[in-house]
Amino acid sequence: MKISAKTHEESANSSHNGSSSSLKMENGMTHGIYAKMAKEKLNASHLAERINSTERLKKESTEHLSHLEDGPRRSTSEDAELFDTAILKDLEFAKTLNERGEISISPATSEDSLVLRALRRSDYHLEYMELLSQLTVVGAVTQDMFEKRFDSMRRAEGSYYTIVIEEKLPKRRIVGSATLVIEQKFIRATALRGRVEDVVVHRDRRGQDLGKLLMEVATVLSKSLGCYKVSLECKDRLVEFYSQFGYQVDPGNNYMMQRFHE
């Protein structure tokens, strides 16, 4: 009987311990499930946050690229200027001319029928490409090609200054042009260097000092913008013409090139 009683007691204890172990296992499993659910919820939250962040960056990038492709809103306007013409009105021509001790031409002395200003997007319709064809090979430039190049140059703010002379009478057309290109340098404490290019006057207007006007403006503008030097390329027969604006042949330095196509 004692033995039977002992066996019953042991059985009872064994049953109790089994139930306790089972309960602990269930509690442990439940805790593990909740922990896993919480972890998955946290991961989902992080994932959603990353997706939102990615979408936000994607949207900002798209807007930025759109801005780069289209440029400022006003750049697509027909009367958009390559640079602000007001810059030309603020140039100190008198001071520059006095330093050289010469009498030259300035925008103030141009004829009333002529306007000195920045190149405009609409100048394609004012025979601008026909004018350039009197200087060099132009090719078949469509209006769309012209406008895309104009917009690209305009987005490079502070790099391209194409100055034109517009004739108002007897009809509106561009009769003179010169371009000042500004190069940004690392040398000389991140200096600027200017290049005068594509100087041309319409054949009907040559001999009227319009070329002098364009050269004077481009040269003074380069100094006003802070260039440490300005240069140009010209044929031997034009050295004397450009010398009157302070340009000199630089002994020991040569202009060299490779031409890849005409």
Side-chain angles (χ1 to χ4, degrees):
M1 292 294 293
K2 289 182 180 179
I3 294 175
S4 297
K6 185 177 181 181
T7 301
H8 178 74
E9 183 178 355
E10 289 176 351
S11 298
N13 288 338
S14 175
S15 176
H16 175 74
N17 291 337
S19 298
S20 177
S21 297
S22 177
L23 182 60
K24 287 180 180 180
M25 288 179 64
E26 290 178 0
N27 289 338
M29 291 178 63
T30 303
H31 177 74
I33 291 172
Y34 279 119
K36 184 177 181 182
M37 291 175 62
K39 184 177 181 180
E40 290 176 349
K41 185 177 181 180
L42 182 62
N43 289 338
S45 176
H46 288 166
L47 180 60
E49 187 176 322
R50 289 176 62 184
I51 291 174
N52 291 335
S53 178
T54 301
E55 290 297 323
R56 185 168 60 253
L57 288 173
K58 184 177 179 181
K59 181 180 179 181
E60 291 175 355
S61 298
T62 301
E63 291 174 351
H64 179 63
L65 288 174
S66 176
H67 174 75
L68 289 178
E69 292 174 357
D70 299 333
R73 180 176 296 179
R74 64 189 183 96
S75 70
T76 58
S77 171
E78 283 298 303
D79 60 354
E81 295 184 325
L82 191 60
F83 65 94
D84 189 354
T85 293
I87 294 175
L88 303 179
K89 299 177 182 179
D90 296 332
L91 297 180
E92 298 182 13
F93 286 91
K95 179 180 178 181
T96 304
L97 299 179
N98 290 335
E99 287 176 353
R100 292 222 311 266
E102 300 174 1
I103 297 176
S104 188
I105 190 170
S106 71
T109 64
S110 60
E111 300 176 29
D112 292 338
S113 63
L114 299 176
V115 176
L116 182 75
R117 59 171 174 78
L119 178 70
R120 291 176 183 164
R121 201 169 189 266
S122 58
D123 284 339
Y124 180 85
H125 302 295
L126 296 185
E127 302 178 14
Y128 180 67
M129 298 309 300
E130 194 280 328
L131 171 66
L132 291 183
S133 70
Q134 297 180 26
L135 173 68
T136 187
V137 177
V138 170
V141 179
T142 65
Q143 180 178 345
D144 183 61
M145 292 166 63
F146 176 86
E147 291 178 349
K148 285 182 178 179
R149 176 63 68 207
F150 178 93
D151 293 341
S152 175
M153 293 171 69
R154 190 170 184 269
R155 285 194 295 269
E157 187 175 354
S159 297
Y160 296 97
Y161 296 83
T162 298
I163 306 151
V164 300
I165 299 176
E166 178 187 344
E167 180 184 67
K168 291 189 173 183
L169 298 172
K171 70 171 184 176
R172 291 187 64 195
R173 62 177 179 170
I174 304 301
V175 296
S177 178
T179 296
L180 173 65
V181 181
I182 303 297
E183 296 180 2
Q184 300 183 51
K185 300 286 190 177
F186 287 109
I187 61 172
R188 297 177 180 270
T190 65
L192 299 177
R193 183 259 177 89
R195 293 181 184 273
V196 179
E197 299 184 346
D198 301 338
V199 181
V200 59
V201 173
H202 197 285
R203 60 174 65 95
D204 296 340
R205 281 286 190 168
R206 291 171 189 170
Q208 301 175 26
D209 285 342
L210 298 187
K212 290 183 178 180
L213 170 59
L214 290 167
M215 278 305 303
E216 193 66 65
V217 172
T219 303
V220 177
L221 178 58
S222 67
K223 184 177 181 180
S224 174
L225 292 173
C227 294
Y228 81 93
K229 74 174 181 179
V230 60
S231 64
L232 55 80
E233 302 160 6
C234 71
K235 299 183 182 299
D236 291 341
R237 61 183 175 81
L238 294 174
V239 169
E240 184 178 356
F241 172 77
Y242 290 114
S243 294
Q244 64 185 306
F245 305 102
Y247 293 86
Q248 302 174 354
V249 175
D250 192 4
N253 287 318
N254 298 292
Y255 161 61
M256 303 178 69
M257 62 170 284
Q258 287 191 54
R259 187 182 295 275
F260 298 107
H261 55 78
E262 295 297 329

